[in-house]
Amino acid sequence: MCGICGIIGPPAAGDEWQETVGAMMKSLAHRGPDDAGLTSGKGFAFGHRRLSIIDLEHGKQPMQTVDGRYTLVFNGEIYNYLELRNQLIQQGSRFRTFSDTEVLLQLLIRDGEQALELLNGMFAFAFHDSETGKWLLARDPFGIKPLYYSKKGDSLYFSSEIKSLFSASDIRPRQNWKALQHYLTFQVSLSEETLFDGVKKVEPGCYIVGNRSGMQKIVRYWDTNYQIDNHHTEEYFKDRLLTLLEDSARLQIRSDVPLGAYLSGGLDSSSVASMAADHLGSSIKVFTGRFAEGPAYDESAYARQVAEKIGAEYLEVVPTAEQFVDCLPKLIYAMDEPVAGPGLFPQYIVSSLASEHVKVVLGGQGGDEIFGGYARYLIGYLEQALKGAIFETQEEAQHIVTLSSIIPNLPLLKEYRPLMQRFWHDGLFDDMDARYFRLIDRSPDVETLLTADARRAYNREEVFADFQQVFNHPDTKSYVNKMTHFDLKTLLPALLQVEDRVSMAVSLESRVPLLDTRIVDLITTMPPQMKFQGGKTKYIFKQAVKNLIPAYVMNRKDKMGFPVPLKEWMENGIVRDFIHETLLGKPSRDRGLFDPKALEDLIVKEKTFGRQIWGALCLELWHQRFIDGGMA
């Protein structure tokens, strides 16, 4: 796990960029405190900050071939590097190191961009051929590792973090209104957009290829596959899923440094920790957090029981309001952009705890998006079942959830009454895309919070059109596949951005064993009625891991997701003062985005677990840190 940055451009340039790339590297020091390297040549300059995980002594980057023709700078891990290395050796390749970086370098020399099809891992990298001038930027299929770029004249600047790009004197932070509209609606930006004008992200599962003339094309090398497999039984899918889960865990525990696991007490993290413990054959350290504000913010009892069952060493931390006020501005800077959900804060505190004991940590990110774990999927299908029963419609060719089958699973929705009230307020039985847009709209009343000028600029129809391009893209009629596809392409990368930044902020490598393309390919080709049987969230996943997980975790109906007691903290004390000062102070008022009176009312009326105050708070802190004065 590392930080990468660099510039690619005209052949006459290269060495003259060293000072700029050196400045870019300094802003990435937290991502790689163990080592630093900078290499330049004809038309390129690459920088690297290293967090040493594999082949601690010999994995220095940027890595070049002996003749200096090929150069690679790489962030991440190739989990199947040993298998790939053995294949290359059998074909005559020779290695100078035992690192996954050299394996990737050799594969790229041999296969070019086709090498991406062989990789099992999380990665972002830049590869350059000095003889032909061809270059390649690529990012892993799920966006676990970040990669951003900005074009200036004939040159392309890239980095693991956006702030690093601003170390180049001719790239300045400016607001991107299109992406800001996305954030106001979803609290994430869609597609390649970032909140900074002129700064793009390499999308998950994509690569960019170019040469001395500049960028040639952007290619999506991996995507979800919804060609349904109707030939295999549920037993086959269950057994195959368990095999792939265990193999992913086996690959991802490879490390030359101490390794632990996050453990919330939920199904996903409990499954990952359990499989890791089985493979390691020894005690594993597990890390959790809880709040002292009551049982609604504390699931540590489940985490302790899982830790005891798997023989893990249990470590716990209790984040405080004082830490929240102290950390949040620093976290917004670490994130580069405003973030999707208050869970950012406790994740950072737990990561800080983990970094005191291990250098690599496993987590359960991705389970909800892959296996259908969010309650909103059940809400969406409750409406679909009603619609089908009343109008005898067959929108999915075959309804995967009927009204009679869904009723036993509705108690899961007890805690989601506000969401259901808003969802059914209008638009009942509308098209699938319109209905899911309402379900994932983080701020349905955002226009009431905006100033008159901002309301006129905010184009909800344009945001919906951008949403439709993602939601309606997959070749599937299945509602659950459309919903999970949208989340996999948009909300999951935003959560992974949090995962990456909070771990990297404390120089910790975070791995996510559920995010393996083999697992996703299996689940997306599974018959939807089997995957989401009767509206049961994570049905097939639960069937696969039921012998690994204690029944008290498997049968939980109080899904939490690390909620933060923001409403309680806002009632008095340091957090209330911090939020008032940030949202109602002069910088916010002068910005002209949010109406101060509307914000005052919202601060008083914000519901428990509400997202609107959080969204406004992060956005204002982001403006203050990056836009006001251009990061001065």
Side-chain angles (χ1 to χ4, degrees), residues 42-56:
K42 189 166 65 173
F44 78 97
F46 288 175
H48 186 265
R49 295 291 316 208
R50 187 182 185 205
L51 183 69
S52 303
I53 303 295
I54 300 292
D55 192 1
L56 308 187

Side-chain angles (χ1 to χ4, degrees), residues 272-334:
V272 168
S274 177
M275 288 185 290
D278 285 346
H279 281 292
L280 289 170
S282 59
S283 178
I284 183 174
K285 289 184 171 68
V286 295
F287 310 96
T288 194
R290 65 177 180 84
F291 288 98
E293 278 70 19
Y297 303 100
D298 180 4
E299 52 186 339
S300 60
Y302 295 104
R304 285 193 199 93
Q305 292 179 71
V306 173
E308 183 177 346
K309 179 181 184 298
I310 66 176
E313 181 181 345
Y314 175 85
L315 296 108
E316 177 186 286
V317 66
V318 182
T320 66
E322 290 74 19
Q323 287 176 310
F324 178 82
V325 171
D326 178 62
C327 289
L328 190 56
K330 301 172 186 175
L331 287 173
I332 296 300
Y333 178 71

Side-chain angles (χ1 to χ4, degrees), residues 355-517:
S355 69
E356 297 172 5
H357 299 270
V358 298
K359 207 169 183 178
V360 176
V361 66
L362 306 179
Q365 292 281 24
D368 287 321
E369 293 80 8
I370 297 171
F371 303 113
Y374 290 121
R376 60 176 173 267
Y377 304 148
L378 181 56
I379 294 172
Y381 263 109
L382 175 55
E383 180 184 33
Q384 283 294 99
L386 285 168
K387 186 178 182 180
I390 294 171
F391 299 105
E392 300 179 298
T393 57
Q394 294 292 313
E395 288 180 285
E396 300 178 80
Q398 177 183 357
H399 277 300
I400 71 170
V401 175
T402 63
L403 191 57
S404 59
S405 69
I406 204 171
I407 287 174
N409 300 306
L410 295 182
L412 179 67
L413 301 179
K414 285 179 182 177
E415 304 301 321
Y416 295 88
R417 284 174 292 178
L419 176 59
M420 289 187 288
Q421 288 169 342
R422 173 170 62 80
F423 180 56
W424 281 309
H425 184 262
D426 58 34
L428 188 65
F429 301 149
D430 224 337
D431 293 338
M432 288 181 185
D433 53 9
R435 299 308 284 154
Y436 195 60
F437 182 80
R438 288 182 60 82
L439 273 175
I440 55 126
D441 187 349
R442 303 291 195 189
S443 189
D445 303 317
V446 67
E447 287 159 290
T448 66
L449 296 178
L450 301 177
T451 63
D453 287 344
R455 278 199 302 274
R456 283 189 289 269
Y458 177 74
N459 189 331
R460 195 169 183 82
E461 289 72 26
E462 181 181 292
V463 174
F464 180 57
D466 292 340
F467 161 84
Q468 285 179 303
Q469 287 186 357
V470 182
F471 183 84
N472 294 322
H473 166 70
D475 183 21
T476 176
K477 292 184 177 181
S478 164
Y479 194 18
V480 70
N481 280 344
K482 285 179 178 290
M483 290 189 287
T484 53
H485 168 83
F486 179 86
D487 289 1
L488 199 68
K489 294 296 185 180
T490 60
L491 304 184
L492 178 61
L495 293 173
L496 292 172
Q497 181 189 359
V498 173
E499 188 79 30
D500 172 80
R501 302 308 172 82
V502 298
S503 58
M504 285 284 88
V506 293
S507 303
L508 177 74
E509 175 167 299
S510 176
R511 299 179 181 179
V512 279
L514 300 184
L515 292 178
D516 185 305
T517 54

Side-chain angles (χ1 to χ4, degrees), residues 92 115 151 170 185 230 238 253 255 261 280 307 311 317 414 425 447 450 457 523 570 597:
K151 292 186 289 183
D170 54 349
T185 309
N230 289 307
K238 181 189 72 173
I253 62 172
S255 172
L280 289 170
V317 66
K414 285 179 182 177
H425 184 262
E447 287 159 290
L450 301 177
I523 298 302
M570 286 195 301
K597 181 62 169 66

Side-chain angles (χ1 to χ4, degrees), residues 3-235:
I4 64 173
C5 60
I7 309 172
I8 305 171
D15 293 343
E16 65 189 59
W17 290 328
Q18 286 200 20
E19 184 176 347
T20 298
V21 173
M24 295 169 72
M25 290 169 60
K26 287 181 181 178
S27 65
L28 300 175
H30 54 282
R31 298 186 69 92
D34 296 333
D35 198 5
L38 196 162
T39 300
S40 63
K42 189 166 65 173
F44 78 97
F46 288 175
H48 186 265
R49 295 291 316 208
R50 187 182 185 205
L51 183 69
S52 303
I53 303 295
I54 300 292
D55 192 1
L56 308 187
E57 186 177 351
H58 301 110
K60 187 176 177 64
Q61 295 189 51
M63 184 172 286
Q64 286 188 309
T65 50
V66 174
D67 60 5
R69 174 177 173 177
Y70 300 101
T71 307
L72 172 68
V73 65
F74 158 61
N75 169 32
E77 302 290 349
I78 306 302
Y79 299 125
N80 62 335
Y81 79 101
L82 291 177
E83 291 80 1
L84 294 171
R85 188 176 191 272
N86 288 335
Q87 292 174 17
L88 287 165
I89 289 173
Q90 290 173 9
Q91 294 169 6
S93 296
R94 294 183 178 182
F95 286 85
R96 294 172 291 159
T97 75
F98 289 94
S99 69
D100 55 345
T101 305
E102 189 177 8
V103 172
L104 178 58
L105 177 62
Q106 296 254 26
L107 285 172
L108 290 168
I109 293 169
R110 189 190 71 178
D111 299 334
E113 47 265 44
Q114 281 68 46
L116 290 162
E117 299 173 7
L118 304 174
L119 305 181
N120 182 323
M122 55 178 184
F123 52 83
F125 66 80
F127 174 68
H128 187 270
D129 180 350
S130 291
E131 184 172 301
T132 64
K134 182 178 179 180
W135 54 266
L136 180 70
L137 297 181
R139 193 174 176 204
D140 67 71
F142 303 105
I144 304 170
K145 293 292 99 189
L147 187 57
Y148 303 93
Y149 68 95
S150 182
K151 292 186 289 183
K152 288 295 176 183
D154 296 330
S155 300
L156 182 140
Y157 296 70
F158 69 88
S159 183
S160 298
E161 296 186 8
I162 296 174
K163 67 179 71 66
S164 172
L165 296 172
F166 301 139
S167 298
S169 59
D170 54 349
I171 302 177
R172 307 313 303 156
R174 300 187 307 273
Q175 181 196 93
N176 175 4
W177 178 251
K178 179 181 178 68
L180 183 59
Q181 289 187 118
H182 293 166
Y183 178 80
L184 289 170
T185 309
F186 310 117
Q187 293 185 358
V188 300
S189 56
L190 306 184
S191 67
E192 65 178 2
E193 298 292 334
T194 75
L195 264 75
F196 295 96
D197 184 44
V199 176
K200 305 290 187 182
K201 53 178 175 271
V202 179
E203 291 191 76
C206 290
Y207 67 81
I208 304 174
V209 65
N211 57 26
R212 289 173 180 148
S213 300
M215 182 186 298
Q216 290 182 304
K217 59 183 177 179
I218 300 175
V219 177
R220 186 174 296 280
Y221 68 87
W222 183 87
D223 208 347
T224 43
N225 171 23
Y226 293 100
Q227 301 304 306
I228 302 303
D229 176 359
N230 289 307
H231 304 293
H232 287 101
T233 65
E234 179 180 317
E235 192 68 19

Side-chain angles (χ1 to χ4, degrees), residues 516-548:
D516 185 305
T517 54
R518 298 172 299 167
I519 293 172
V520 174
D521 287 341
L522 179 74
I523 298 302
T524 55
T525 56
M526 181 183 299
Q529 60 268 37
M530 189 183 297
K531 177 168 61 177
F532 203 62
Q533 188 182 103
K536 297 175 185 175
T537 57
K538 294 184 180 174
Y539 172 74
I540 198 68
F541 183 50
K542 290 177 179 177
Q543 293 301 305
V545 301
K546 63 183 178 182
N547 293 327
L548 300 176

